[in-house]
PDB file of all heavy atoms in Angstrom:
ATOM      1  N   ARG D  26     -62.942  21.687  64.508  1.00 94.00           N
ATOM      2  CA  ARG D  26     -64.353  22.032  64.656  1.00 94.00           C
ATOM      3  C   ARG D  26     -64.942  21.085  65.699  1.00 94.00           C
ATOM      4  O   ARG D  26     -65.248  19.931  65.407  1.00 94.00           O
ATOM      5  CB  ARG D  26     -65.091  21.910  63.317  1.00 94.00           C
ATOM      6  CG  ARG D  26     -64.413  22.699  62.215  1.00 94.00           C
ATOM      7  CD  ARG D  26     -65.214  22.793  60.942  1.00 94.00           C
ATOM      8  NE  ARG D  26     -65.586  21.523  60.352  1.00 94.00           N
ATOM      9  CZ  ARG D  26     -64.758  20.727  59.654  1.00 94.00           C
ATOM     10  NH1 ARG D  26     -63.489  21.064  59.510  1.00 94.00           N
ATOM     11  NH2 ARG D  26     -65.189  19.600  59.116  1.00 94.00           N
ATOM     12  N   THR D  27     -65.084  21.585  66.908  1.00 95.00           N
ATOM     13  CA  THR D  27     -65.579  20.751  67.997  1.00 95.00           C
ATOM     14  C   THR D  27     -67.076  20.536  67.838  1.00 95.00           C
ATOM     15  O   THR D  27     -67.842  21.498  67.724  1.00 95.00           O
ATOM     16  CB  THR D  27     -65.290  21.402  69.357  1.00 95.00           C
ATOM     17  OG1 THR D  27     -63.877  21.586  69.489  1.00 95.00           O
ATOM     18  CG2 THR D  27     -65.795  20.536  70.490  1.00 95.00           C
ATOM     19  N   ILE D  28     -67.503  19.292  67.824  1.00 96.00           N
ATOM     20  CA  ILE D  28     -68.921  18.979  67.670  1.00 96.00           C
ATOM     21  C   ILE D  28     -69.534  18.420  68.952  1.00 96.00           C
ATOM     22  O   ILE D  28     -70.763  18.325  69.046  1.00 96.00           O
ATOM     23  CB  ILE D  28     -69.161  18.006  66.500  1.00 96.00           C
ATOM     24  CG1 ILE D  28     -68.393  16.695  66.695  1.00 96.00           C
ATOM     25  CG2 ILE D  28     -68.777  18.654  65.177  1.00 96.00           C
ATOM     26  CD1 ILE D  28     -68.683  15.646  65.630  1.00 96.00           C
ATOM     27  N   ALA D  29     -68.727  18.067  69.943  1.00 98.00           N
ATOM     28  CA  ALA D  29     -69.276  17.588  71.210  1.00 98.00           C
ATOM     29  C   ALA D  29     -68.256  17.728  72.325  1.00 98.00           C
ATOM     30  O   ALA D  29     -67.074  17.435  72.140  1.00 98.00           O
ATOM     31  CB  ALA D  29     -69.727  16.133  71.103  1.00 98.00           C
ATOM     32  N   LEU D  30     -68.732  18.175  73.479  1.00 98.00           N
ATOM     33  CA  LEU D  30     -67.969  18.237  74.714  1.00 98.00           C
ATOM     34  C   LEU D  30     -68.818  17.539  75.778  1.00 98.00           C
ATOM     35  O   LEU D  30     -69.909  18.007  76.114  1.00 98.00           O
ATOM     36  CB  LEU D  30     -67.712  19.686  75.131  1.00 98.00           C
ATOM     37  CG  LEU D  30     -66.854  20.531  74.179  1.00 98.00           C
ATOM     38  CD1 LEU D  30     -67.058  22.017  74.468  1.00 98.00           C
ATOM     39  CD2 LEU D  30     -65.391  20.167  74.332  1.00 98.00           C
ATOM     40  N   LEU D  31     -68.322  16.427  76.295  1.00 98.00           N
ATOM     41  CA  LEU D  31     -69.081  15.616  77.241  1.00 98.00           C
ATOM     42  C   LEU D  31     -68.234  15.358  78.479  1.00 98.00           C
ATOM     43  O   LEU D  31     -67.017  15.213  78.389  1.00 98.00           O
ATOM     44  CB  LEU D  31     -69.482  14.278  76.617  1.00 98.00           C
ATOM     45  CG  LEU D  31     -70.096  14.313  75.212  1.00 98.00           C
ATOM     46  CD1 LEU D  31     -70.280  12.902  74.671  1.00 98.00           C
ATOM     47  CD2 LEU D  31     -71.425  15.055  75.228  1.00 98.00           C
ATOM     48  N   CYS D  32     -68.892  15.299  79.624  1.00 98.00           N
ATOM     49  CA  CYS D  32     -68.175  15.026  80.866  1.00 98.00           C
ATOM     50  C   CYS D  32     -69.119  14.364  81.862  1.00 98.00           C
ATOM     51  O   CYS D  32     -70.277  14.777  81.996  1.00 98.00           O
ATOM     52  CB  CYS D  32     -67.615  16.326  81.457  1.00 98.00           C
ATOM     53  SG  CYS D  32     -66.793  16.112  83.055  1.00 98.00           S
ATOM     54  N   GLU D  33     -68.604  13.342  82.541  1.00 98.00           N
ATOM     55  CA  GLU D  33     -69.326  12.722  83.641  1.00 98.00           C
ATOM     56  C   GLU D  33     -68.455  12.756  84.888  1.00 98.00           C
ATOM     57  O   GLU D  33     -67.277  12.391  84.842  1.00 98.00           O
ATOM     58  CB  GLU D  33     -69.698  11.273  83.320  1.00 98.00           C
ATOM     59  CG  GLU D  33     -70.796  11.150  82.270  1.00 98.00           C
ATOM     60  CD  GLU D  33     -71.328   9.740  82.143  1.00 98.00           C
ATOM     61  OE1 GLU D  33     -70.597   8.788  82.519  1.00 98.00           O
ATOM     62  OE2 GLU D  33     -72.468   9.577  81.687  1.00 98.00           O
ATOM     63  N   LEU D  34     -69.047  13.208  85.987  1.00 98.00           N
ATOM     64  CA  LEU D  34     -68.394  13.189  87.286  1.00 98.00           C
ATOM     65  C   LEU D  34     -69.131  12.165  88.148  1.00 98.00           C
ATOM     66  O   LEU D  34     -70.298  12.364  88.508  1.00 98.00           O
ATOM     67  CB  LEU D  34     -68.448  14.576  87.940  1.00 98.00           C
ATOM     68  CG  LEU D  34     -67.480  15.619  87.375  1.00 98.00           C
ATOM     69  CD1 LEU D  34     -67.823  17.002  87.922  1.00 98.00           C
ATOM     70  CD2 LEU D  34     -66.040  15.258  87.726  1.00 98.00           C
ATOM     71  N   LEU D  35     -68.448  11.075  88.473  1.00 97.00           N
ATOM     72  CA  LEU D  35     -69.062   9.995  89.240  1.00 97.00           C
ATOM     73  C   LEU D  35     -68.989  10.298  90.731  1.00 97.00           C
ATOM     74  O   LEU D  35     -68.022  10.895  91.208  1.00 97.00           O
ATOM     75  CB  LEU D  35     -68.348   8.685  88.937  1.00 97.00           C
ATOM     76  CG  LEU D  35     -68.137   8.343  87.458  1.00 97.00           C
ATOM     77  CD1 LEU D  35     -67.399   7.017  87.319  1.00 97.00           C
ATOM     78  CD2 LEU D  35     -69.454   8.291  86.714  1.00 97.00           C
ATOM     79  N   HIS D  36     -70.018   9.897  91.466  1.00 97.00           N
ATOM     80  CA  HIS D  36     -70.042  10.118  92.905  1.00 97.00           C
ATOM     81  C   HIS D  36     -70.875   9.035  93.583  1.00 97.00           C
ATOM     82  O   HIS D  36     -71.636   8.314  92.915  1.00 97.00           O
ATOM     83  CB  HIS D  36     -70.596  11.510  93.237  1.00 97.00           C
ATOM     84  CG  HIS D  36     -71.972  11.774  92.703  1.00 97.00           C
ATOM     85  ND1 HIS D  36     -73.107  11.142  93.187  1.00 97.00           N
ATOM     86  CD2 HIS D  36     -72.412  12.602  91.721  1.00 97.00           C
ATOM     87  CE1 HIS D  36     -74.177  11.575  92.544  1.00 97.00           C
ATOM     88  NE2 HIS D  36     -73.779  12.446  91.638  1.00 97.00           N
ATOM     89  N   PRO D  37     -70.747   8.882  94.918  1.00 96.00           N
ATOM     90  CA  PRO D  37     -71.588   7.911  95.625  1.00 96.00           C
ATOM     91  C   PRO D  37     -73.066   8.231  95.407  1.00 96.00           C
ATOM     92  O   PRO D  37     -73.440   9.396  95.252  1.00 96.00           O
ATOM     93  CB  PRO D  37     -71.188   8.098  97.100  1.00 96.00           C
ATOM     94  CG  PRO D  37     -69.819   8.701  97.041  1.00 96.00           C
ATOM     95  CD  PRO D  37     -69.799   9.560  95.809  1.00 96.00           C
ATOM     96  N   PRO D  38     -73.926   7.221  95.389  1.00 95.00           N
ATOM     97  CA  PRO D  38     -75.355   7.461  95.130  1.00 95.00           C
ATOM     98  C   PRO D  38     -75.973   8.424  96.145  1.00 95.00           C
ATOM     99  O   PRO D  38     -75.680   8.371  97.341  1.00 95.00           O
ATOM    100  CB  PRO D  38     -75.970   6.066  95.256  1.00 95.00           C
ATOM    101  CG  PRO D  38     -74.845   5.128  94.965  1.00 95.00           C
ATOM    102  CD  PRO D  38     -73.617   5.791  95.511  1.00 95.00           C
ATOM    103  N   VAL D  39     -76.831   9.301  95.634  1.00 93.00           N
ATOM    104  CA  VAL D  39     -77.573  10.244  96.479  1.00 93.00           C
ATOM    105  C   VAL D  39     -79.047  10.164  96.099  1.00 93.00           C
ATOM    106  O   VAL D  39     -79.394   9.780  94.977  1.00 93.00           O
ATOM    107  CB  VAL D  39     -77.054  11.683  96.307  1.00 93.00           C
ATOM    108  CG1 VAL D  39     -75.610  11.804  96.782  1.00 93.00           C
ATOM    109  CG2 VAL D  39     -77.167  12.133  94.850  1.00 93.00           C
ATOM    110  N   PRO D  40     -79.948  10.523  96.997  1.00 87.00           N
ATOM    111  CA  PRO D  40     -81.383  10.475  96.679  1.00 87.00           C
ATOM    112  C   PRO D  40     -81.719  11.397  95.518  1.00 87.00           C
ATOM    113  O   PRO D  40     -81.130  12.469  95.364  1.00 87.00           O
ATOM    114  CB  PRO D  40     -82.047  10.945  97.977  1.00 87.00           C
ATOM    115  CG  PRO D  40     -81.029  10.703  99.040  1.00 87.00           C
ATOM    116  CD  PRO D  40     -79.697  10.912  98.386  1.00 87.00           C
ATOM    117  N   PRO D  41     -82.671  11.001  94.662  1.00 81.00           N
ATOM    118  CA  PRO D  41     -83.049  11.825  93.504  1.00 81.00           C
ATOM    119  C   PRO D  41     -83.965  12.983  93.896  1.00 81.00           C
ATOM    120  O   PRO D  41     -85.124  13.065  93.488  1.00 81.00           O
ATOM    121  CB  PRO D  41     -83.778  10.817  92.607  1.00 81.00           C
ATOM    122  CG  PRO D  41     -84.383   9.839  93.563  1.00 81.00           C
ATOM    123  CD  PRO D  41     -83.404   9.717  94.704  1.00 81.00           C
ATOM    124  N   ASP D  42     -83.441  13.888  94.709  1.00 90.00           N
ATOM    125  CA  ASP D  42     -84.217  15.026  95.210  1.00 90.00           C
ATOM    126  C   ASP D  42     -83.966  16.235  94.314  1.00 90.00           C
ATOM    127  O   ASP D  42     -82.831  16.717  94.225  1.00 90.00           O
ATOM    128  CB  ASP D  42     -83.809  15.319  96.654  1.00 90.00           C
ATOM    129  CG  ASP D  42     -84.669  16.397  97.298  1.00 90.00           C
ATOM    130  OD1 ASP D  42     -85.519  16.976  96.599  1.00 90.00           O
ATOM    131  OD2 ASP D  42     -84.477  16.650  98.498  1.00 90.00           O
ATOM    132  N   PRO D  43     -85.007  16.769  93.650  1.00 95.00           N
ATOM    133  CA  PRO D  43     -84.780  17.915  92.761  1.00 95.00           C
ATOM    134  C   PRO D  43     -84.627  19.245  93.487  1.00 95.00           C
ATOM    135  O   PRO D  43     -84.180  20.226  92.887  1.00 95.00           O
ATOM    136  CB  PRO D  43     -86.042  17.920  91.893  1.00 95.00           C
ATOM    137  CG  PRO D  43     -87.091  17.319  92.767  1.00 95.00           C
ATOM    138  CD  PRO D  43     -86.389  16.290  93.600  1.00 95.00           C
ATOM    139  N   ARG D  44     -84.960  19.303  94.759  1.00 96.00           N
ATOM    140  CA  ARG D  44     -84.961  20.600  95.452  1.00 96.00           C
ATOM    141  C   ARG D  44     -83.574  21.250  95.540  1.00 96.00           C
ATOM    142  O   ARG D  44     -83.471  22.473  95.339  1.00 96.00           O
ATOM    143  CB  ARG D  44     -85.570  20.425  96.854  1.00 96.00           C
ATOM    144  CG  ARG D  44     -87.071  20.142  96.842  1.00 96.00           C
ATOM    145  CD  ARG D  44     -87.581  19.846  98.228  1.00 96.00           C
ATOM    146  NE  ARG D  44     -86.981  18.616  98.768  1.00 96.00           N
ATOM    147  CZ  ARG D  44     -87.255  18.145  99.986  1.00 96.00           C
ATOM    148  NH1 ARG D  44     -88.079  18.804 100.783  1.00 96.00           N
ATOM    149  NH2 ARG D  44     -86.677  17.016 100.397  1.00 96.00           N
ATOM    150  N   PRO D  45     -82.497  20.501  95.812  1.00 96.00           N
ATOM    151  CA  PRO D  45     -81.183  21.164  95.823  1.00 96.00           C
ATOM    152  C   PRO D  45     -80.812  21.778  94.471  1.00 96.00           C
ATOM    153  O   PRO D  45     -80.180  22.845  94.420  1.00 96.00           O
ATOM    154  CB  PRO D  45     -80.228  20.026  96.201  1.00 96.00           C
ATOM    155  CG  PRO D  45     -81.065  19.045  96.931  1.00 96.00           C
ATOM    156  CD  PRO D  45     -82.397  19.102  96.269  1.00 96.00           C
ATOM    157  N   ILE D  46     -81.208  21.124  93.372  1.00 96.00           N
ATOM    158  CA  ILE D  46     -80.863  21.654  92.046  1.00 96.00           C
ATOM    159  C   ILE D  46     -81.727  22.861  91.708  1.00 96.00           C
ATOM    160  O   ILE D  46     -81.261  23.810  91.064  1.00 96.00           O
ATOM    161  CB  ILE D  46     -81.010  20.546  90.985  1.00 96.00           C
ATOM    162  CG1 ILE D  46     -80.192  19.327  91.390  1.00 96.00           C
ATOM    163  CG2 ILE D  46     -80.557  21.059  89.623  1.00 96.00           C
ATOM    164  CD1 ILE D  46     -78.758  19.634  91.781  1.00 96.00           C
ATOM    165  N   GLN D  47     -82.966  22.850  92.155  1.00 96.00           N
ATOM    166  CA  GLN D  47     -83.807  24.035  91.965  1.00 96.00           C
ATOM    167  C   GLN D  47     -83.235  25.225  92.740  1.00 96.00           C
ATOM    168  O   GLN D  47     -83.224  26.354  92.250  1.00 96.00           O
ATOM    169  CB  GLN D  47     -85.238  23.749  92.411  1.00 96.00           C
ATOM    170  CG  GLN D  47     -86.212  24.868  92.068  1.00 96.00           C
ATOM    171  CD  GLN D  47     -87.644  24.468  92.315  1.00 96.00           C
ATOM    172  OE1 GLN D  47     -87.933  23.645  93.175  1.00 96.00           O
ATOM    173  NE2 GLN D  47     -88.558  25.041  91.547  1.00 96.00           N
TER     174      GLN D  47
END
Side-chain angles (χ1 to χ4, degrees):
R26 307 189 303 283
T27 301
I28 59 175
L30 296 162
L31 313 173
C32 176
E33 289 190 337
L34 284 169
L35 311 179
H36 57 69
V39 296
D42 186 355
R44 290 174 296 179
I46 306 310
Q47 188 171 29

